[in-house]
């Protein structure tokens, strides 16, 4: 536990005292993924608590926090998914988050992120008030940075409440390898900063920084706080502009792009061109009264509604809500169920609540694909709220994503099973409140094609029952499911009841042995399998032969940390799996000879990870990169060199 009082420095100017509190993370409240497992300390989210342990060293260290993926490889694999309503994502996207807690609530002055490997993935910093409201402190695109450790201190916006809970969001889609974080430091004040009428905090001309050892330092405009933080930015950097108007991009769109679109449509009409038709929903819309056309709709009043709906289909949810406020004509169009066949709410996780769900429900009469991932945590949405929402608009759902949703309970799952009879995809990552009772209820969903149970508490018996009732299952994620007593029995069930299986993630399945792996060869349509860190498979024997000979369409095979895997175990893949695209042999005992043959013979290969393979040198990797420029060859490392960079 952080000793807050020991971290207080005082800055005094005349009679005006400002107390700065410098804190490191005291606890981890929530996160979307981690490379480590819940029964280990390596690469886990909880490594972010406390002071930095590796900075300023640069490299791959198990004492850091590492997320599950990097780059675009997982999206491009056979198991990859697409975003629902992708226009909601905007230009700055994120794939992961972590919520960190500090001992004392302060008004944020600076957030220091200690990045020790592949920095640049941070894209947003949020703060939650003690009353439960979220505010955006900073947002910026992911950066391409030099390979060196750094303390990243983004310029923060002013907020008018104290906080001890931050959320960090990450975009690692362009990273060359995993990003790693060593610590997070929050610097803030017990009282709000003095502000002028423009909301800008002035920098005092003269300060005295009083250290804990009693010494004092005079400063001019730049304040240094604490022994660990290298520097504090000038006081007028992080606030210090007024809040950005979120409607500016919308106004620009309506002022400039919309008229151009209208002009193009009018030109088409004058030329006699046929109009593009809107896609029809799965069921006809109920008859409604004609939409009232308002004279102040301008040129829109001359267009058929189907053309206007086609234009509106390019807008995100926020813009559609703005359009509904223009007039009655636009209100009717912006709420048309044609525009809500699919809906992605993950981008709006911070403001989705029971009121917004009730507002959306009438528009979702025919919604088929819904993503509510990250929404409703900290009791912002209760299981009862979600059940009411699902009863009103869940009957047509075919795809439902509820990753990292704390309102997902047995009651929620039972309601999904009873209402969403057409469901083909169900994603429940990181939902640990579901018991065997809830999982057993999913056996009624006989049309499932994709099931994501990463880091859930699912056990063997309900999972096997689900698999037996899902003959069309194609994609299954059981990564980091620590409550599985026998993964071998699960895989044997898969091989018997799920012949359509395309991808299987068994990452960190500690009860999987060669018996289960051998059974995978019966799933002849398999294109992707992740056996990384399955520690009971340290001696795979001939079990991998079954996959190589039985699954000729294999495109992705991850075998990370299979310590006893040698060249002979990969030989069958070279002969039979000519479609291979991604291969991970991190920490294996393979040699450069088999990797050279893999690169030579597999013409579709795009990714090879040979990190921590003792028999493969960096010089050999550099030679391969020159010889095979279309293949990304990864070799992680640790370095004791003292790189330091502050931003």
């Amino acid at each position: 536990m952080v000793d807050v009082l020991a971290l207080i420095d005082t800055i005094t100017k005349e009679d005006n005292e400002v107390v700065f509190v410098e804190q490191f993370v005291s606890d981890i409240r929530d996160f979307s993924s981690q490379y480590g497992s819940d029964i280990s300390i390596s690469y886990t989210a909880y490594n972010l608590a406390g002071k930095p342990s590796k900075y300023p060293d640069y490299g791959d260290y198990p004492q850091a926090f590492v997320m599950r993926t990097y780059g675009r490889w997982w999206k491009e694999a056979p198991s990859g998914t697409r975003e629902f309503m992708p226009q909601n994502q905007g230009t700055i996207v994120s794939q992961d988050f972590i919520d960190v807690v500090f001992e004392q609530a302060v008004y944020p002055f600076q957030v220091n992120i200690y990045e020790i490997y592949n920095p640049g993935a941070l894209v947003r910093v949020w703060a939650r008030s003690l009353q439960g409201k979220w505010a955006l402190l900073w947002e910026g695109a992911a950066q391409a940075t030099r390979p060196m450790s750094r303390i990243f201190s983004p310029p923060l916006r002013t907020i008018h409440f104290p906080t001890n809970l931050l959320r960090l969001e990450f975009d690692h889609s362009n990273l060359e390898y995993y990003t790693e974080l060593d610590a997070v430091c929050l610097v803030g004040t017990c009282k709000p900063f003095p502000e002028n009428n423009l909301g800008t905090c002035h920098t005092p001309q003269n300060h005295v920084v009083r250290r804990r050892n009693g010494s004092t330092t005079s400063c001019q405009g730049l304040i240094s706080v604490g022994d660990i933080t290298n520097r504090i930015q000038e006081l007028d950097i992080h606030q210090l502009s007024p809040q950005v108007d979120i409607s500016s991009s919308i106004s620009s769109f309506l002022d400039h792009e919309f008229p151009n679109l209208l002009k193009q449509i009018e030109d088409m009409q004058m030329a006699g061109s046929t109009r593009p038709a809107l896609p029809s929903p799965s069921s006809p819309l109920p008859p409604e009264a004609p939409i009232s056309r308002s004279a102040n709709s301008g040129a829109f009043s001359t267009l058929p509604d189907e053309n206007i709906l086609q234009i509106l289909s390019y807008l995100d949810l926020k813009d559609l809500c703005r359009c509904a406020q223009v007039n009655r004509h636009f209100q009717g169009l912006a709420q048309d169920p044609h525009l809500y066949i699919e809906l992605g709410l993950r981008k709006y996780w911070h403001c989705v609540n029971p009121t917004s769900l009730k507002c959306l429900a009438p528009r979702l009469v025919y919604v088929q694909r819904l993503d509510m991932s990250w929404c409703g945590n900290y009791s912002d949405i209760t299981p009862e709220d979600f059940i009411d929402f699902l009863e009103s608009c869940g009957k047509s759902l075919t795809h439902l994503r509820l990753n990292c949703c704390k309102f997902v309970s047995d009651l929620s799952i039972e309601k999904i099973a009873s209402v969403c009879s057409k469901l083909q995809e169900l994603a429940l990552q990181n939902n640990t409140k579901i018991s065997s009772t809830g999982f057993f209820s999913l056996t009624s969903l006989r049309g499932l094609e994709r099931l994501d149970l990463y880091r859930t508490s699912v056990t063997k018996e309900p999972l096997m029952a689900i698999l037996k009732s899902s003959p069309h299952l194609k994609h299954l994620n059981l990564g980091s499911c620590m409550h599985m007593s026998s993964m071998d029995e699960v895989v044997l069930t898969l091989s018997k009841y799920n012949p359509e299986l395309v991808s299987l993630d068994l990452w960190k399945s500690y009860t999987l042995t060669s018996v289960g792996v051998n059974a995978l060869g019966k799933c002849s349509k398999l294109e992707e399998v992740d056996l990384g860190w399955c520690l009971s498979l340290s001696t795979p024997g001939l079990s991998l032969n079954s996959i190589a000979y039985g699954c000729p369409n294999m495109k992705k095979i991850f075998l990370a940390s299979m310590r006893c895997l040698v060249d002979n175990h990969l030989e069958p893949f070279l002969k039979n799996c000519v479609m291979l695209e991604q291969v991970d042999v991190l920490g294996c005992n393979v040699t450069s000879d088999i990797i050279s043959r893999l690169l030579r013979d597999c013409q579709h290969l795009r990714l090879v990870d040979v990190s921590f393979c003792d028999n493969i040198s960096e010089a050999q990797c550099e030679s391969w990169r020159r010889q095979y420029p279309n293949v990304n060859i990864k070799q992680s490392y640790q370095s004791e060199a003292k790189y330091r960079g502050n931003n």
Side-chain angles (χ1 to χ4, degrees):
M1 184 175 295
V2 175
D3 183 358
V4 175
L5 295 178
L7 293 174
I8 295 180
D9 284 342
T10 303
I11 299 175
T12 306
K13 179 178 184 268
E14 298 176 355
D15 296 328
N16 193 14
E17 183 177 76
V18 180
V19 178
F20 282 79
V21 179
E22 180 188 64
Q23 306 174 79
F24 288 94
V25 174
S26 63
D27 195 13
I28 307 300
R29 188 64 55 83
D30 198 9
F31 57 90
S32 57
S33 78
Q34 62 180 5
Y35 191 88
S37 69
D38 292 332
I39 61 173
S40 173
I41 60 173
S42 298
Y43 300 117
T44 63
Y46 294 94
N47 286 335
L48 209 56
K51 298 179 180 180
S53 61
K54 286 299 178 182
Y55 180 85
D57 293 342
Y58 180 81
D60 186 344
Y61 294 100
Q63 296 89 345
F65 164 50
V66 186
M67 285 158 280
R68 177 71 179 87
T69 65
Y70 68 90
R72 303 178 188 273
W73 304 108
W74 278 256
K75 285 286 186 181
E76 296 171 355
S79 62
T81 59
R82 71 171 185 86
E83 297 290 342
F84 300 154
M85 208 175 186
Q87 61 268 37
N88 276 347
Q89 295 300 305
T91 57
I92 300 177
V93 301
S94 60
Q95 298 88 30
D96 276 303
F97 75 85
I98 185 169
D99 293 351
V100 294
V101 180
F102 301 87
E103 286 290 332
Q104 181 174 342
V106 295
Y107 292 85
F109 175 73
Q110 188 176 67
V111 176
N112 301 314
I113 316 297
Y114 289 72
E115 301 174 282
I116 60 170
Y117 200 44
N118 297 300
L122 185 71
V123 293
R124 292 186 188 91
V125 179
W126 297 84
R128 183 175 172 91
S129 72
L130 303 180
Q131 291 73 37
K133 299 297 183 182
W134 289 96
L136 184 63
L137 289 177
W138 172 81
E139 180 181 48
Q143 304 172 2
T145 66
R146 292 177 294 171
M148 58 188 298
S149 64
R150 68 172 188 172
I151 301 175
F152 180 51
S153 305
L156 305 182
R157 299 175 181 176
T158 300
I159 60 173
H160 301 287
F161 59 80
T163 183
N164 69 335
L165 175 59
L166 300 181
R167 169 168 291 195
L168 312 180
E169 289 188 39
F170 303 90
D171 172 17
H172 35 66
S173 59
N174 293 315
L175 287 182
E176 287 297 317
Y177 206 59
Y178 299 96
T179 188
E180 300 192 10
L181 276 65
D182 196 17
V184 176
C185 177
L186 171 63
V187 180
T189 58
C190 300
K191 298 179 180 180
F193 291 101
E195 296 180 340
N196 62 12
N197 294 332
L198 296 177
T200 301
C201 189
H202 290 296
T203 305
Q205 293 302 310
N206 295 285
H207 294 82
V208 176
V209 181
R210 186 170 297 144
R211 302 294 185 186
R212 291 189 296 275
N213 60 9
S215 63
T216 61
T217 304
S218 297
C219 302
Q220 294 288 336
L222 186 66
I223 304 175
S224 295
V225 179
D227 296 328
I228 296 178
T229 301
N230 296 310
R231 65 177 176 84
I232 293 294
Q233 296 172 333
E234 293 185 14
L235 281 173
D236 58 356
I237 286 183
H238 74 287
Q239 30 265 345
L240 295 160
S241 56
Q243 292 282 353
V244 175
D245 182 4
I246 61 174
S247 65
S248 59
S249 59
I250 299 172
S251 300
S252 175
F253 183 85
L254 294 176
D255 291 343
H256 303 291
E257 297 179 50
F258 254 34
N260 292 335
L261 287 173
L262 291 175
K263 180 67 166 56
Q264 293 175 18
I265 294 173
E266 291 171 352
D267 291 344
M268 287 170 54
Q269 289 178 319
M270 294 178 62
S273 302
T274 57
R275 303 183 188 94
L278 284 171
S280 299
S282 57
S283 304
L285 290 173
E288 297 178 352
I291 295 175
S292 173
R293 289 181 175 271
S294 173
N296 61 4
S297 292
F300 280 100
S301 61
T302 65
L303 296 177
D305 286 345
E306 65 177 9
N307 289 62
I308 302 176
L309 287 173
Q310 184 67 49
I311 296 172
L312 295 182
S313 69
Y314 292 96
L315 299 184
D316 62 18
L317 184 60
K318 180 177 64 177
D319 290 1
L320 286 173
C321 293
R322 299 269 182 168
C323 286
Q325 301 174 16
V326 174
N327 54 39
R328 293 185 63 188
H329 182 205
F330 268 48
Q331 183 182 48
L333 291 169
Q335 296 178 357
D336 192 298
H338 279 101
L339 300 174
Y340 302 90
I341 299 300
E342 67 177 39
L343 179 63
L345 293 176
R346 183 166 65 88
K347 171 70 178 292
Y348 305 109
W349 61 267
H350 57 282
C351 57
V352 175
N353 54 42
T355 302
S356 59
L357 293 180
K358 290 179 182 178
C359 178
L360 283 170
R363 313 179 192 192
L364 305 181
V365 180
Y366 298 107
V367 65
Q368 297 174 5
R369 295 173 290 276
L370 175 64
D371 188 353
M372 290 184 63
S373 298
W374 303 10
C375 295
N377 292 347
Y378 305 103
S379 300
D380 291 346
I381 295 176
T382 66
E384 292 74 21
D385 295 328
F386 174 71
I387 288 171
D388 291 342
F389 177 66
L390 203 63
E391 285 181 334
S392 65
C393 59
K395 293 181 175 60
S396 298
L397 281 174
T398 59
H399 298 69
L400 179 60
R401 297 175 186 169
L402 300 171
N403 298 324
C404 306
C405 294
K406 294 299 183 287
F407 58 78
V408 174
S409 63
D410 284 350
L411 290 176
S412 308
I413 295 298
E414 291 168 4
K415 180 58 65 174
I416 291 171
S418 63
V419 172
C420 308
S421 59
K422 301 178 182 179
L423 212 59
Q424 299 172 18
E425 175 187 351
L426 181 60
L428 299 171
Q429 288 188 10
N430 286 293
N431 291 314
T432 57
K433 295 181 180 179
I434 311 169
S435 71
S436 293
T437 301
F439 283 117
F440 267 117
S441 67
L442 295 179
T443 56
S444 64
L445 300 176
R446 306 190 66 84
L448 280 178
E449 296 181 6
R450 182 185 294 269
L451 182 60
D452 191 342
L453 300 179
Y454 166 80
R455 202 172 165 267
T456 62
S457 300
V458 65
T459 56
K460 178 185 68 176
E461 289 78 11
L463 178 58
M464 291 172 61
I466 294 171
L467 297 179
K468 291 177 181 179
S469 64
S470 305
H472 307 294
L473 191 67
K474 295 180 180 179
H475 304 281
L476 179 62
N477 186 348
L478 299 175
S480 205
C481 289
M482 296 291 106
H483 297 264
M484 202 67 61
S485 60
S486 175
M487 191 62 79
D488 284 345
E489 293 184 54
V490 171
V491 176
L492 288 168
T493 303
L494 274 170
S495 66
K496 183 177 180 179
Y497 292 94
N498 306 101
E500 302 297 315
L501 196 66
V502 173
S503 73
L504 178 62
D505 192 337
L506 299 178
W507 185 70
K508 290 188 181 288
S509 296
Y510 296 148
T511 59
L512 179 71
T513 71
S514 58
V515 174
V517 175
N518 192 62
L520 285 178
K522 297 179 181 179
C523 301
S524 59
K525 295 186 179 181
L526 262 180
E527 298 180 13
E528 172 184 347
V529 62
D530 192 336
L531 302 176
W533 295 91
C534 294
L535 300 183
S536 296
L537 269 176
S538 57
T539 306
L542 299 177
S543 62
L544 291 177
N545 290 5
S546 176
I547 299 177
Y549 290 115
C551 309
N553 298 319
M554 187 65 62
K555 295 180 179 179
K556 173 181 174 178
I557 180 75
F558 275 27
L559 306 169
S561 196
M562 201 171 288
R563 305 298 184 186
C564 293
L565 185 139
V566 295
D567 291 5
N568 289 340
H569 295 126
L570 294 183
E571 288 275 1
F573 289 95
L574 271 65
K575 298 176 181 178
N576 299 283
C577 301
V578 296
M579 302 299 292
L580 276 176
E581 297 178 359
Q582 301 182 31
V583 177
D584 184 350
V585 290
L586 177 148
C588 298
N589 199 29
V590 296
T591 69
S592 58
D593 178 65
I594 193 69
I595 301 301
S596 293
R597 293 171 56 196
L598 183 73
L599 291 165
R600 182 193 64 198
D601 297 342
C602 297
Q603 301 300 314
H604 300 278
L605 203 62
R606 298 182 57 240
L607 172 69
V608 178
D609 192 340
V610 293
S611 300
F612 301 110
C613 292
D614 294 337
N615 298 321
I616 298 176
S617 66
E618 174 61 25
Q620 180 64 73
C621 289
E622 286 298 327
S623 175
W624 286 330
R625 291 179 184 119
R626 291 190 296 270
Q627 189 174 357
Y628 303 99
N630 295 326
V631 183
N632 280 264
I633 299 169
K634 309 298 182 184
Q635 189 179 47
S636 186
Y637 64 90
Q638 295 177 355
S639 172
E640 297 301 324
K642 307 297 185 181
Y643 295 111
R644 183 184 298 268
N646 297 330
N647 286 314

